[in-house]
Amino acid sequence: RYWMLETIREYAAERLNASDDPEKPSRLHAEWFTNFVERDLGHPGDEALQEPSIAAVADDLDNIRTALTWCWANDHDDLGLRLGASATLCWCRRGHFNDADAWLDEAAPRIPTAARELQLDALKAAVMIELWVHRDPEAGIRYEEPALVLAEELDARRDILWLTHARAISLWETGDFDTAISLLERNLASYRELGDRHGEALELHHLGEFHRDVGNHDRAAEFLGAAVALYRDLDKRIELSQTLHGLGDLALDRDDLK
């Protein structure tokens, strides 16, 4: 990674634009960063990632913005959808909400024309943005519904689980508490069947939070305690701290100041 004088950058751009294929450098740049982000962050919903992967992508946000601008302006829609879908986790985790918002504005009308697998990734990214950035569960549901149809058509079990979790969050936010808890319980059983301990811990954590919210303190303590044990075993420090925070909130709800 290095810097150069603006005059040198301008001269290099002039020389590249004068070549036989002036689009090639920008295309290669966009392709390289799409592959880079997909390699480090995977697809939407791969939330068991370590923080260093997210940090590495965050260092290149300017390059990602440049690549996306070029993709949208030059009808490389699939490349723009791929790049943004994978970058969404970084944008949401690091608070770059303007980037997420700008991508969704450009991506939304382009999603229906993409291949089904890419549609699914882009729809999942849209769900993340609606739930985490816009805090709009009803808009999240509008993306979750076609995404679930696609995931079922593609027999993409883990995508179905991820989207079911998102649906539970959306339903909880809109007041359908019983259905939300039922969906998380179903997901918990599926993750245990798959042997996916991170997925199991995720559902335990949210079940604990949901039961705390409706006053089921004993059940909340059971679920949150189990999630803490799993996150410790998995050495997931961020998730562990979030779950311990939930236990702290539960203690306050119980007037247990010790």
Side-chain angles (χ1 to χ4, degrees):
R1 188 179 301 277
Y2 62 92
W3 299 91
M4 65 176 67
L5 293 173
E6 186 62 27
T7 51
I8 297 175
R9 290 174 59 88
E10 290 173 355
Y11 175 74
E14 289 175 4
R15 298 298 298 167
L16 288 171
N17 289 333
S19 68
D20 293 336
D21 187 0
E23 182 186 271
K24 183 177 180 180
S26 295
R27 184 179 69 251
L28 292 175
H29 175 272
E31 290 172 350
W32 193 94
F33 276 99
T34 297
N35 292 330
F36 161 67
V37 176
E38 287 181 337
R39 183 197 69 208
D40 274 32
L41 297 187
H43 299 278
D46 294 341
E47 293 170 22
L49 294 162
Q50 296 292 342
E51 183 61 24
S53 297
I54 297 171
V57 171
D59 285 341
D60 273 303
L61 286 178
D62 283 340
N63 278 308
I64 292 169
R65 293 181 188 115
T66 298
L68 283 171
T69 298
W70 180 85
C71 288
W72 303 138
N74 291 274
D75 297 324
H76 286 264
D77 293 347
D78 283 3
L79 204 57
L81 291 174
R82 285 172 54 200
L83 176 53
S86 289
T88 295
L89 179 61
C90 175
W91 293 331
C92 291
R93 285 274 187 95
R94 290 303 187 91
H96 296 283
F97 295 159
N98 287 339
D99 290 299
D101 208 24
W103 177 80
L104 185 55
D105 283 345
E106 293 285 355
R110 295 171 164 90
I111 292 173
T113 63
R116 290 195 302 168
E117 290 82 358
L118 181 51
Q119 280 190 53
L120 179 56
D121 279 349
L123 287 168
K124 287 170 63 184
V127 170
M128 292 170 65
I129 293 167
E130 294 295 2
L131 293 183
W132 291 6
V133 177
H134 298 155
R135 301 292 181 181
D136 187 344
E138 292 181 353
I141 289 172
R142 289 196 294 273
Y143 286 112
E144 289 159 12
E145 289 174 346
L148 274 166
V149 170
L150 275 172
E152 289 166 359
E153 289 176 355
L154 295 167
D155 195 24
R157 186 176 184 186
R158 290 188 181 277
D159 289 320
I160 293 170
L161 290 172
W162 188 93
L163 287 160
T164 301
H165 178 89
R167 172 59 61 86
I169 300 297
S170 297
L171 292 173
W172 186 264
E173 294 293 338
T174 56
D176 190 349
F177 303 143
D178 290 341
T179 305
I181 288 175
S182 177
L183 289 175
L184 291 189
E185 288 174 341
R186 190 176 76 191
N187 262 18
L188 177 61
S190 294
Y191 279 125
R192 283 173 169 166
E193 180 186 343
L194 290 169
D196 185 334
R197 300 181 76 210
H198 185 275
E200 179 183 353
L202 176 71
E203 303 303 6
L204 286 168
H205 171 92
H206 280 84
L207 279 166
E209 295 287 4
F210 284 9
H211 278 286
R212 181 180 70 82
D213 284 350
V214 295
N216 296 332
H217 292 166
D218 290 342
R219 292 287 282 159
E222 176 187 344
F223 285 121
L224 290 170
V228 164
L230 269 177
Y231 281 136
R232 280 186 172 140
D233 285 348
L234 295 167
D235 195 27
K236 295 293 185 180
R237 297 182 182 182
I238 293 175
E239 292 87 344
L240 175 60
S241 67
Q242 292 169 339
T243 310
L244 288 171
H245 188 282
L247 279 172
D249 288 338
L250 177 61
L252 289 174
D253 290 345
R254 287 173 150 178
D255 294 324
D256 181 1
L257 302 183
K258 294 181 181 180

